[in-house]
């Protein structure tokens, strides 16, 4: 039993990856599932689609690897974090589609809570800001808008969970209702200092305590799958939200280490060790992982648009056919032009947190064409990362440029042009690892640690391998000029906020 099965349940697809004991990959399976957009700013998933795609990919991966359930030491789960499911305790039937992390329908609830002055208390306990992004207001919305849901919840008939929790409940045949500390820390209902659900927050958001799962370590005995699913029982022994799992997969176990994942959006986490660092720059304080009852904290910055800006070039403007064309196209751009894209297609995330503003292009000339737009799009991801980097260094005095190690992963890191520009603008080295499947690897590691397949964090970190280090090569004068231009562009976008 030297294999570990990682479930990577993402926003647009479910994946299963079988890892060997040396962390090499034995098999991968992936399946996309439908997205539902019932109203402007609303994003939903059918929980049954999440479940069936997860089971199918696990079966496919085992078949591809030529393995059976008895070969798998443990399953690890990583998931889209704030996506919210409410289901019936007796039947397992969801009472509403899952409300996805991107969904903005609770903006009015959040605005009211802020206006009533609740944000300081919420932030002090949770490390989060009051925003539709997090799960708590999504649960409240479901209870208020599904007929009879609130009464059923009060009677103890309904359960709430993030996607990991919902999958665990289904995998164990309804025997286990649990989550881990990283996912709990994204709900607006969990005190990250005490490691407990908080009664005052539950009362504020009107969420009955009986709905909530048990919170465990990220590496723990979570239960066993029913034998019918995979031809035999397999224990579930690791759970972490996707960005925390990537932090673990990148072996960022030492304070000062930072990872940045470039997918649909971009998420950067900086390990701050045993101390939760309060942000003065609108970053989030979150739990990076919890092992043996000990919480390790991180500062997190979320950028809503990264890879989706490249999709916009492809699908919206039609100037590329494949994402891989963007770097070579950007390389042909006119160096005399300074075109800036602020990709606030769904508002701006950290460190601005303004959901109302929209994207804009600055510095256009008659000569601006596809190459300049590709250049501006890739650069926008680097500039947004710089904003997070600068905010983290300001929030955490220990974080000088000399001590922060930036490790990158996700689809966009395949672009050498983008990673080189990132190193140039940060004026710091950027490390790309050999294994790009860092999110799934983090989940596999947590499960394998519990099952005895993988060693303690310090030894596991020795397995991390560098594929390429991008070193800064831009002059200080050019860097300062470009960053000043970006700052002006963001200021222009923020000034356009009309408070829709």
């Amino acid at each position: 039993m030297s294999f570990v099965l990682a479930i990577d349940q993402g926003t647009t697809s479910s994946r299963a990856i079988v890892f060997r004991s040396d962390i090499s990959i034995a098999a991968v399976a992936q399946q996309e599932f439908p997205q539902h957009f019932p109203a402007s700013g609303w994003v939903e998933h059918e929980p049954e689609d999440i479940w069936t795609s997860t089971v199918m990919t696990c079966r496919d991966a085992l078949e591809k690897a030529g393995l059976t359930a008895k070969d798998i030491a443990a399953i690890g789960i990583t998931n889209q974090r704030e996506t919210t499911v409410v289901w019936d305790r007796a039947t397992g039937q969801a009472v509403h589609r899952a409300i996805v992390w991107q969904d903005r329908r609770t903006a009015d609830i959040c605005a009211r809570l802020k206006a009533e002055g609740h944000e300081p208390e919420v932030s002090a306990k949770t490390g989060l800001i009051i925003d539709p992004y997090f799960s708590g207001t999504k649960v409240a919305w479901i209870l208020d808008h599904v007929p009879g849901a609130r009464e059923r919840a009060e009677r103890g008939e309904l359960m709430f969970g993030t996607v990991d929790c919902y999958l665990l409940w289904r995998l164990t045949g309804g025997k286990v209702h649990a989550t881990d500390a990283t996912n709990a820390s994204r709900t607006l209902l969990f005190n990250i200092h005490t490691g407990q659900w908080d009664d005052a927050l539950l009362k504020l958001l009107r969420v009955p305590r009986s709905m909530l799962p048990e919170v465990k370590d990220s590496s723990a005995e979570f239960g066993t799958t029913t034998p019918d699913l995979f031809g035999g029982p397999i224990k579930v022994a690791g759970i972490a939200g996707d960005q925390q799992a990537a932090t673990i997969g990148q072996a960022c176990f030492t304070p000062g280490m930072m990872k940045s994942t470039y997918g649909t959006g971009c998420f950067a986490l900086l390990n701050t060790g045993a101390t939760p660092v309060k942000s003065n720059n609108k970053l989030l304080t979150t739990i990076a992982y919890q092992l043996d009852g000990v919480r390790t904290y991180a500062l997190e910055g979320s950028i809503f648009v990264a890879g989706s800006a490249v999709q916009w070039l492809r699908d919206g403007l039609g100037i590329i056919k494949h994402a891989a064309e963007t770097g070579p196209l950007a390389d042909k751009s006119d160096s005399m032009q300074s075109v800036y894209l602020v990709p606030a297609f769904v508002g701006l995330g950290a460190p601005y947190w303004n959901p109302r503003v929209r994207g804009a292009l600055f510095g256009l000339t008659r000569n601006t064409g596809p190459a300049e737009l590709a250049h501006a799009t890739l650069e926008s991801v680097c500039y947004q990362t710089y904003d997070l980097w600068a905010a983290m260094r300001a929030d955490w005095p220990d974080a000088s440029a000399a001590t922060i190690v930036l490790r990158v992963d996700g689809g966009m890191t395949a672009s050498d042009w983008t990673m080189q520009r990132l190193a140039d603008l940060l004026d710091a080295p950027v490390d790309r690892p050999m294994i790009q499947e860092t999110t799934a690897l983090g989940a596999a590691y947590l499960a394998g640690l519990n099952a005895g397949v993988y060693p303690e964090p310090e030894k596991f970190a020795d397995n991390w391998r560098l594929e390429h280090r991008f070193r800064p090569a831009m002059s200080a004068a050019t860097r300062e000029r470009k960053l000043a231009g970006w700052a002006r562009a963001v200021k222009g976008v923020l000034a356009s906020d009309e408070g829709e």
Side-chain angles (χ1 to χ4, degrees):
M1 288 170 58
S2 56
F3 296 89
V4 177
L5 175 62
I7 293 170
D8 182 356
Q9 204 299 302
T11 309
T12 57
S13 67
S14 300
R15 300 194 311 147
I17 302 182
V18 179
F19 287 91
R20 300 184 182 93
S21 57
D22 63 356
I23 74 169
S24 63
I25 292 172
V28 181
Q30 181 166 351
Q31 190 175 314
E32 291 193 355
F33 56 88
Q35 310 289 304
H36 301 276
F37 308 100
S40 176
W42 294 27
V43 191
E44 296 178 350
H45 292 157
E46 197 61 66
E48 209 58 35
D49 290 341
I50 292 174
W51 167 244
T52 53
S53 61
T54 297
V55 173
M56 290 300 296
T57 51
C58 287
R59 288 173 178 166
D60 288 353
L62 289 173
E63 191 178 330
K64 283 181 182 175
L67 302 171
T68 64
K70 66 177 188 297
D71 300 312
I72 305 297
I75 290 174
I77 301 172
T78 183
N79 57 291
Q80 41 166 328
R81 294 176 299 180
E82 296 81 6
T83 297
T84 299
V85 191
V86 174
W87 67 96
D88 185 291
R89 190 181 294 275
T91 67
Q93 196 68 38
V95 303
H96 190 276
R97 280 186 187 145
I99 300 181
V100 180
W101 58 273
Q102 298 156 312
D103 190 284
R104 308 301 294 174
R105 79 185 63 185
T106 64
D108 290 347
I109 301 175
C110 294
R112 177 176 55 77
L113 291 169
K114 284 183 177 184
E116 290 170 358
H118 295 296
E119 190 161 62
E121 180 201 0
V122 171
S123 292
K125 288 178 173 179
T126 67
L128 310 176
I129 62 169
I130 294 178
D131 190 84
Y133 178 33
F134 305 108
S135 318
T137 57
K138 293 174 165 60
V139 186
W141 188 95
I142 290 173
L143 295 184
D144 286 336
H145 288 80
V146 174
R150 185 164 289 287
E151 293 75 16
R152 291 169 67 194
E154 298 286 359
R155 291 197 298 268
E157 295 172 14
L158 300 185
M159 306 170 102
F160 151 66
T162 40
V163 168
D164 61 296
C165 177
Y166 174 70
L167 289 177
L168 178 67
W169 194 84
R170 296 287 299 260
L171 287 165
T172 60
K175 287 194 174 70
V176 183
H177 186 215
T179 187
D180 90 301
T182 69
N183 280 294
S185 76
R186 313 295 296 187
T187 60
L188 283 177
L189 304 169
F190 188 75
N191 188 316
I192 63 170
H193 309 284
T194 65
Q196 305 288 329
W197 298 117
D198 189 274
D199 285 324
L201 296 175
L202 292 173
K203 187 178 176 186
L204 179 66
L205 292 175
R206 299 166 58 239
V207 175
R209 183 178 265 275
S210 61
M211 297 181 74
L212 301 176
E214 179 189 355
V215 180
K216 298 187 172 221
D217 282 351
S218 305
S219 177
E221 301 278 346
F222 283 98
T224 305
T225 65
T226 56
D228 58 305
L229 288 173
F230 309 119
I234 308 173
K235 79 169 180 173
V236 181
I239 292 180
D242 53 8
Q243 303 311 322
Q244 284 93 337
T247 305
I248 293 160
Q250 287 277 34
C252 291
F253 295 121
T254 307
M257 294 184 76
M258 176 179 169
K259 76 90 202 173
S260 196
T261 299
Y262 297 91
T264 305
C266 160
F267 298 86
L269 266 75
L270 171 70
N271 184 328
T272 63
T275 311
V277 174
K278 184 180 184 308
S279 176
N280 296 312
N281 293 283
K282 296 187 179 176
L283 299 177
L284 307 175
T285 308
T286 200
I287 296 174
Y289 48 87
Q290 182 174 307
L291 301 174
D292 298 324
V294 178
R295 289 180 291 281
T296 295
Y297 294 93
L299 279 171
E300 175 175 331
S302 311
I303 296 167
F304 296 148
V305 174
S308 53
V310 177
Q311 287 175 327
W312 171 68
L313 288 181
R314 184 191 68 197
D315 304 335
L317 300 185
I319 64 174
I320 54 167
K321 284 200 171 74
H322 305 286
E325 297 167 30
T326 323
L329 186 59
D331 218 18
K332 296 177 187 160
S333 64
D334 176 3
S335 61
M336 299 306 290
Q337 293 189 52
S338 296
V339 180
Y340 292 91
L341 167 67
V342 182
F345 303 141
V346 290
L348 282 172
Y352 306 104
W353 286 107
N354 188 323
R356 294 178 304 274
V357 296
R358 292 295 174 258
L361 276 161
F362 294 86
L364 301 180
T365 73
R366 282 288 301 276
N367 290 328
T368 301
E372 288 72 34
L373 292 179
H375 183 130
T377 299
L378 294 181
E379 233 173 24
S380 74
V381 177
C382 304
Y383 286 129
Q384 290 179 101
T385 307
Y386 173 84
D387 287 343
L388 297 183
W389 169 269
M392 286 175 173
R393 290 173 65 187
D395 276 337
W396 196 47
D398 298 354
S400 69
T403 60
I404 292 185
V405 174
L406 178 63
R407 292 181 171 177
V408 295
D409 56 83
M412 285 193 84
T413 62
S415 166
D416 287 359
W417 191 97
T418 310
M419 293 302 100
Q420 182 57 51
R421 185 51 50 98
L422 182 60
D424 288 342
L425 291 172
L426 297 181
D427 193 24
V430 170
D431 288 355
R432 186 170 63 193
M434 292 287 282
I435 292 187
Q436 279 287 300
E437 301 289 357
T438 53
T439 304
L441 177 59
Y445 171 68
L446 291 168
L449 174 65
N450 178 274
V453 176
Y454 299 129
E456 294 303 305
E458 297 72 25
K459 285 211 174 71
F460 177 70
D462 293 341
N463 290 319
W464 189 90
R465 293 286 178 270
L466 177 70
E467 184 265 333
H468 189 81
R469 169 167 281 183
F470 296 88
R471 299 178 187 277
M474 185 180 279
S475 72
T478 302
R479 180 183 311 111
E480 284 163 22
R481 175 178 58 76
K482 291 177 81 64
L483 290 170
W486 167 254
R488 284 193 300 274
V490 171
K491 197 172 176 183
V493 165
L494 294 172
S496 71
D497 177 12
E498 295 166 6
E500 295 167 16

